[in-house]
Amino acid sequence: MTLSPDISAVSEHLHAPTWQQGELRLICDARWQETHDVVSFRFHATEPLKFLFKPGQFITFHVDIADELYHRSYTISSSPTRPHSLMVTIKRVEGGRVSNYLIDNLQPGHSIRASGPFGDFNVVDIAAERYLLLSAGCGVTPMYSISRFLTDTHGHRADIAFLHSASTVNDLIFADSLKAMSQRNDGVDINYLIQHVSDADELSNNMHSSKLNAELLTLLVPDFQQRTVFVCGPQRFMDAAQALFAACDFDMSRYHSENFAQAMALENPISGGNFQLTVAASSRVLSAKQTLLDGLLEMQLPIIAACRSGVCGSCKCKVVKGEVISSSSETLTAAEIEQGYVLACSSHAQSDVDIDLAS
Amino acid sequence: MYCIQCEQTIRTPAGAGCSYAQGMCGKLAATSDLQDLLIYMLQGVSLYASKLRAFGVIDAAVDTFVPKAFFSTLTNVNFDDERIIEYARLAAKMRDSLQRQYEALCAERGETPAAFPAAATLNLAADKPELLQQATQAALNRGDNLNEDILGLRLLCLYGLKGAAAYMEHARVLNQVSEEVAGRFHEIMGFLATDSNDADKLFATAMDIGQLNYQVMAMLDTGETDAFGHPEPTQVNTKPVTGKAILVSGHDMKDLELILQQTEGKGINVYTHGEMLPALAYPTFKKYPHLVGNYGSAWQNQQKEFANFPGAVVMTSNCIIDPNVGQYSDRIFTRSIVGWPGVTHIEGDDFSAVINKAQSLEGFKYDEIPHMITIGFARNALMNAAPAVVENVKNGSIRHFFLVGGCDGDKNERSYFTDFAKSAPKDSVILTLGCGKYKFNKLEFGDINGIPRLLDIGQCNDAYSAIQLAIALSEVFECDINELPLSLVLSWFEQKAIVILLTLLSLGVKNIRTGPTPPAFLTPNLLKILEDKFGLRNVSSVEADLTSILGAA
């Protein structure tokens, strides 16, 4: 491409229309390996477009695999301060139908349908002066977007303590970019907790061979009690982090975790069995990978499912018998949860289940 | 109207068969009645053609016309009354000419002309209302106090022969004709005009039709492999790519070749649909880089898939359904015996109307994420793989083979075939063919020591390849086909499937399961006979069927 001396070429992009909400078609223009099992994909729109979203939010991809439409949500790992492209970063998951499909098949030039952005886990709805970003594995993706956004907009004034846990030194995602970010922005302090260290590993000063614990937390982030905490990672990590902060008498109103990470883990559901889903007089067998919503749709029952990501709440239904596990209960009140309401899109049966759609 | 030929025919407690204003396929009563009348007239032609053969007179044009016109009455082929009437009039003209020849030859030899059934003597009326009046005498359930078992047997023969006629026409397009086959065809067609009440004779005729079709499938196999080479295992993209587009559906690969030749260098991508998918595995078609892959699935999804296809669509044979539902009747084209009122029909070899239409349409604006599937395990590829397959059977890695295929359709019960393929044990190999494969052909089945667990043989008529594999295996293992660890689970919808079933039965293949429901024209008595004689039965539940098959194996 020849750069025109005419500034209008730049202007065209700067004044491109903005995408804030809704469905659109994205074209993949690059992909690269972040680690052996994690791939980042960069997308642009079909026409010049600026992507406006809140750092930490996710986007839902609508992917047709073998004539079955799947809806999967992925955190946007890029920052809205660099709005001309959109990035998502995907980890290969054992048995993960969509994630693995995208890693195996999505190449530059291919298009994909997407909608969004969705999610309350972001630094616009949860604004603070000082942040502690706590992530593990692929949970780094919203933190990367947030860090990029805060340093782009606040420079040295951005105050971010970033603690990321990885299985090995070879599983660090965005390590080089984050290193550059911390070198150029005094307020960004990054530490890594490495779970499995071998003798051959050379750990830099900010890498620690340890799991997250109170002692290390206090050592690395002495002022953590004054910070607003964002947590994202696999369920076990999230549970451990929550227990740790609760034990430290942390003010949990400043503790925010991303439920969506559970949905990612749930792409491969926990239970392997087939269960009977019953609604009024009809019933059908749910396979292990199917959500309650999948079953209800197959039964052609009148249920609205707008986002299919556990965000909009339209697929609310009541479990009257049986056990389900849910990755999201956004929009449900505590009373509703108590009464047995779940979001069908985000729930998998753990036993035979009876659903009431009437109440 | 009385039509009971397909799987979706109306079934009520009062009786089965479409007998109201419109059939379940969308065929209007008048169209159905005119098709009955056409069949009646064609039977008249065959009656004379048979007699003339005894005098050594064979007319190639007649041999071509009768099966071809008969094909137009197959499910989801031709809904255009005017075309059906035109075929009937051509049949009348042909019959009259044969009659004159026959009578002249009889006179020449001093023989008395034979007495013919009514089908040989009907003179077609001048206009459509009168033709519809005449059609009552051609109704398939004609006759008073008709025994329903006899009717069922007559229909089994008629529908089976219709399937064979369709394959004869497919073979003829590829220059494969046989005077012997045509002669046998006319003979059976003429016999069916006699409205026989002889159950044994009708049953034997059904088996004859199966044998006849075996020959026809061999001819078609020769025609396809001579013209296009032997299919080879091929990775095929099932998602669209950027560009103008033409979609080719149906079974006629000759049309696909013409379209590919005429679109070369025109910036148009060509896709296969439904039963055209196997073409992508033939060497001839691989030469065309603008044949980019397969789009969509089986016929019953066409109203959605064609509606979403931003290009021209060509329907080369069955199955077509109402193009007005998806509002694409202005960009779908019919060929050969296919017809829909108001849809442009292309005669001859010039596809410029299709190409111009595709150029005027938007085409696909984006490349979608490719989804590759592997096809092309027809006769040669299977035979090449046979030694490895045999080795894996002998060392216990392959426990069982399932042939799961046939026609697809839109009934929910057809999920049986998806579930069956998914539930088949990991040490089993699934062979598939026909459009029934779309129930599972995009799923991952993995492999057994490098042998893919899902082997796509090809179109429905490539059942011939499956039979050859079974025969080869039975020779290697020195056993009867029925002793092989092979089970057939067939989905049926229309008459091609009926004749393939007759072929398998006539070859002595036993214990076939069919579904999702038994043909409505087969009475409980007939089903019982088929079960007793051949072990033929309807599918039950996947679990029960798998247990029964593998337990017995």
Side-chain angles (χ1 to χ4, degrees):
Chain A
M1 184 174 91
T2 316
L3 276 179
S4 161
D6 185 350
I7 198 74
S8 67
V10 176
S11 177
E12 184 194 342
H13 283 280
L14 288 184
H15 295 104
T18 301
W19 171 80
Q20 291 191 52
Q21 185 80 51
E23 189 173 320
L24 82 170
R25 191 168 277 274
L26 298 172
I27 311 289
C28 175
D29 70 359
R31 60 172 280 164
W32 58 89
Q33 210 77 30
E34 296 285 358
T35 70
H36 71 100
D37 62 352
V38 176
V39 177
S40 283
F41 297 90
R42 191 178 65 204
F43 299 93
H44 58 78
T46 51
E47 305 292 335
L49 197 68
K50 287 185 292 193
F51 297 99
L52 187 61
F53 57 93
K54 299 169 183 175
Q57 283 192 307
F58 60 87
I59 192 163
T60 301
F61 287 157
H62 311 290
V63 192
D64 178 329
I65 307 175
D67 302 325
E68 214 173 312
L69 191 58
Y70 292 83
H71 311 274
R72 287 292 185 278
S73 298
Y74 296 97
T75 301
I76 303 167
S77 49
S78 55
S79 163
T81 48
R82 302 178 182 198
H84 302 286
S85 66
L86 201 69
M87 181 166 88
V88 300
T89 301
I90 302 177
K91 182 179 165 67
R92 189 179 286 282
V93 190
E94 197 187 329
R97 186 81 168 114
V98 179
S99 294
N100 298 354
Y101 181 84
L102 294 176
I103 288 174
D104 292 337
N105 296 287
L106 178 56
Q107 297 292 336
H110 298 156
S111 74
I112 191 166
R113 265 196 324 123
S115 55
F118 301 113
D120 301 331
F121 183 80
N122 64 73
V123 289
V124 175
D125 293 322
I126 309 165
E129 291 288 312
R130 299 152 85 183
Y131 290 98
L132 167 55
L133 307 181
L134 206 58
S135 60
C138 216
V140 72
T141 52
M143 310 312 182
Y144 185 65
S145 174
I146 288 168
S147 303
R148 177 69 77 195
F149 171 74
L150 292 174
T151 53
D152 278 354
T153 52
H154 292 66
H156 285 300
R157 287 176 294 113
D159 189 346
I160 305 168
F162 194 153
L163 274 186
H164 178 69
S165 294
S167 183
T168 74
V169 288
N170 295 321
D171 292 301
L172 292 174
I173 303 167
F174 307 138
D176 291 344
S177 300
L178 286 170
K179 185 176 177 187
M181 210 187 285
S182 72
Q183 284 170 342
R184 289 165 200 163
N185 297 279
D186 293 343
V188 179
D189 182 32
I190 300 174
N191 281 282
Y192 293 106
L193 309 182
I194 311 297
Q195 310 307 305
H196 305 286
V197 176
S198 76
D199 294 343
D201 290 340
E202 284 184 26
L203 298 190
S204 56
N205 289 338
N206 67 341
M207 293 184 186
H208 313 275
S209 172
S210 171
K211 285 198 170 181
L212 182 64
N213 57 50
E215 198 183 343
L216 198 59
L217 178 64
T218 313
L219 179 74
L220 297 176
V221 194
D223 61 347
F224 79 90
Q225 292 281 10
Q226 281 78 52
R227 289 178 180 266
T228 292
V229 184
F230 275 58
V231 189
C232 186
Q235 189 58 44
R236 267 209 321 221
F237 172 80
M238 306 260 286
D239 292 345
Q242 178 144 17
L244 174 65
F245 277 79
C248 293
D249 290 329
F250 187 77
D251 173 5
M252 295 309 267
S253 69
R254 280 187 285 107
Y255 184 95
H256 307 278
S257 60
E258 173 58 303
N259 283 322
F260 162 62
Q262 298 174 32
M264 282 173 66
L266 263 182
E267 191 181 326
N268 209 11
I270 291 163
S271 170
N274 288 344
F275 297 112
Q276 194 81 18
L277 172 65
T278 305
V279 185
S282 50
S283 68
R284 71 170 288 117
V285 174
L286 276 185
S287 71
K289 71 164 195 189
Q290 288 185 301
T291 62
L292 300 187
L293 177 64
D294 293 332
L296 295 170
L297 291 174
E298 282 181 11
M299 291 158 83
Q300 300 184 332
L301 291 167
I303 186 156
I304 298 167
C307 78
R308 301 177 189 225
S309 307
V311 174
C312 72
S314 65
C315 63
K316 180 176 98 170
C317 60
K318 189 176 181 180
V319 175
V320 289
K321 200 180 115 192
E323 293 294 318
V324 305
I325 182 161
S326 300
S327 57
S328 170
S329 54
E330 300 250 346
T331 76
L332 296 178
T333 65
E336 283 174 327
I337 293 170
E338 180 65 24
Q339 288 160 25
Y341 282 96
V342 298
L343 299 181
C345 71
S346 309
S347 301
H348 286 79
Q350 298 294 292
S351 69
D352 289 349
V353 171
D354 288 6
I355 299 274
D356 182 1
L357 289 181
S359 57
Chain B
M1 123 175 237
Y2 173 74
C3 182
I4 193 169
Q5 65 178 348
C6 79
E7 200 267 336
Q8 71 187 4
T9 195
I10 295 171
R11 296 167 205 239
T12 68
C18 292
S19 55
Y20 303 94
Q22 194 171 17
M24 289 296 282
C25 62
K27 181 168 69 174
L28 295 172
T31 313
S32 179
D33 294 346
L34 291 169
Q35 289 182 350
D36 291 349
L37 187 62
L38 168 60
I39 293 169
Y40 201 65
M41 297 306 291
L42 293 171
Q43 288 176 333
V45 180
S46 283
L47 282 162
Y48 280 106
S50 282
K51 288 289 177 202
L52 278 167
R53 271 179 146 72
F55 293 153
V57 178
I58 292 173
D59 185 333
V62 171
D63 291 356
T64 293
F65 174 76
V66 179
K68 183 175 177 176
F70 195 18
F71 188 2
S72 74
T73 70
L74 201 98
T75 304
N76 292 336
V77 172
N78 200 320
F79 296 75
D80 189 337
D81 291 358
E82 297 314 313
R83 298 258 314 274
I84 304 294
I85 293 171
E86 193 185 317
Y87 284 139
R89 295 208 186 284
L90 262 170
K93 213 167 141 188
M94 223 170 239
R95 183 203 60 195
D96 292 347
S97 156
L98 294 179
Q99 184 183 358
R100 282 192 297 274
Q101 286 182 62
Y102 173 67
E103 284 167 0
L105 282 167
C106 284
E108 214 171 274
R109 296 169 183 228
E111 292 180 18
T112 313
F116 286 99
T121 57
L122 179 70
N123 286 316
L124 285 181
D127 62 12
K128 188 169 162 183
E130 286 178 72
L131 287 172
L132 288 170
Q133 282 289 326
Q134 287 185 316
T136 53
Q137 83 178 78
L140 302 185
N141 56 352
R142 58 186 173 249
D144 296 330
N145 303 320
L146 184 58
N147 177 296
E148 61 172 11
D149 294 335
I150 293 294
L151 175 62
L153 282 171
R154 286 184 193 167
L155 293 176
L156 178 63
C157 291
L158 187 77
Y159 295 153
L161 192 61
K162 193 184 283 192
Y167 288 132
M168 284 170 75
E169 169 61 11
H170 287 313
R172 188 202 59 84
V173 170
L174 298 167
N175 303 318
Q176 298 297 311
V177 290
S178 153
E179 289 183 356
E180 183 205 339
V181 165
R184 191 76 196 104
F185 169 83
H186 288 306
E187 205 177 310
I188 298 170
M189 194 74 171
F191 165 68
L192 294 177
T194 64
D195 292 346
S196 170
N197 286 307
D198 182 339
D200 291 339
K201 179 118 197 263
L202 283 165
F203 195 85
T205 301
M207 293 301 106
D208 281 353
I209 293 168
Q211 281 296 304
L212 175 74
N213 187 59
Y214 186 50
Q215 270 178 281
V216 175
M217 287 201 298
M219 284 162 55
L220 182 49
D221 182 278
T222 305
E224 287 173 340
T225 51
D226 281 0
F228 311 122
H230 280 279
E232 39 199 51
T234 305
Q235 287 257 304
V236 170
N237 187 10
T238 59
K239 290 294 179 69
V241 297
T242 312
K244 305 276 186 189
I246 292 175
L247 186 59
V248 187
S249 190
H251 302 72
D252 192 339
M253 293 193 279
K254 184 78 194 156
D255 277 355
L256 177 64
E257 188 179 31
L258 290 169
I259 290 166
L260 286 167
Q261 287 165 350
Q262 293 171 33
T263 46
E264 259 185 318
K266 292 209 160 68
I268 296 174
N269 292 321
V270 178
Y271 297 81
T272 59
H273 176 266
E275 276 284 71
M276 199 59 80
L277 162 66
L280 290 154
Y282 284 84
T284 292
F285 296 109
K286 290 186 184 179
K287 290 187 307 201
Y288 299 98
H290 60 301
L291 179 62
V292 292
N294 189 69
Y295 178 86
S297 54
W299 67 272
Q300 75 278 1
N301 301 320
Q302 68 186 256
Q303 287 172 333
K304 191 171 150 205
E305 290 169 358
F306 293 176
N308 290 334
F309 188 81
V313 180
V314 180
M315 196 47 107
T316 67
S317 71
N318 58 315
C319 292
I320 188 172
I321 47 179
D322 191 347
N324 298 307
V325 173
Q327 298 179 332
Y328 50 80
S329 56
D330 61 332
R331 56 185 173 85
I332 187 171
F333 299 82
T334 57
R335 285 285 286 166
S336 181
I337 36 63
V338 187
W340 193 279
V343 164
T344 308
H345 185 71
I346 296 181
E347 289 287 354
D349 290 346
D350 180 4
F351 284 88
S352 36
V354 176
I355 293 166
N356 292 340
K357 180 56 78 174
Q359 295 283 23
S360 76
L361 294 163
E362 196 174 32
F364 288 101
K365 288 166 77 180
Y366 319 105
D367 286 1
E368 289 198 10
I369 304 170
H371 184 107
M372 309 301 284
I373 59 171
T374 306
I375 62 164
F377 292 94
R379 187 160 50 89
N380 250 27
L382 287 176
M383 291 308 167
N384 290 340
V389 168
V390 168
E391 183 55 36
N392 277 283
V393 174
K394 284 183 173 163
N395 70 24
S397 302
I398 296 177
R399 173 160 56 139
H400 207 85
F401 298 89
F402 296 102
L403 175 65
V404 188
C407 317
D408 205 357
D410 65 357
K411 278 189 181 174
N412 286 339
E413 301 96 288
R414 286 182 186 264
S415 64
Y416 170 92
F417 299 99
T418 311
D419 296 340
F420 189 96
K422 280 181 177 172
S423 307
K426 297 277 175 275
D427 55 359
S428 65
V429 170
I430 300 163
L431 305 155
T432 190
L433 49 79
C435 62
K437 71 174 68 120
Y438 285 103
K439 279 280 180 274
F440 47 80
N441 72 338
K442 291 174 187 163
L443 303 177
E444 284 291 331
F445 287 92
D447 66 281
I448 298 174
N449 301 326
I451 299 166
R453 282 196 58 232
L454 178 68
L455 299 173
D456 182 349
I457 300 174
Q459 294 183 342
C460 49
N461 48 283
D462 291 313
Y464 181 75
S465 287
I467 294 167
Q468 298 313 304
L469 176 72
I471 292 172
L473 288 178
S474 68
E475 280 166 6
V476 172
F477 291 107
E478 294 179 342
C479 68
D480 183 81
I481 284 185
N482 292 309
E483 290 164 352
L484 287 172
L486 165 69
S487 304
L488 282 68
V489 185
L490 306 181
S491 48
W492 85 279
F493 181 74
E494 37 79 322
Q495 302 78 50
K496 284 179 172 174
I498 294 295
V499 80
I500 286 175
L501 181 66
L502 291 179
T503 297
L504 292 167
L505 298 180
S506 74
L507 290 169
V509 180
K510 293 200 162 49
N511 301 318
I512 299 172
R513 284 176 166 77
T514 61
T517 56
F521 56 85
L522 291 180
T523 60
N525 286 339
L526 295 175
L527 288 170
K528 177 81 171 51
I529 291 168
L530 290 170
E531 182 167 358
D532 292 347
K533 210 169 159 61
F534 299 107
L536 181 74
R537 73 200 83 171
N538 205 64
V539 298
S540 60
S541 74
V542 168
E543 293 75 16
D545 288 346
L546 273 173
T547 306
S548 149
I549 289 168
L550 296 171

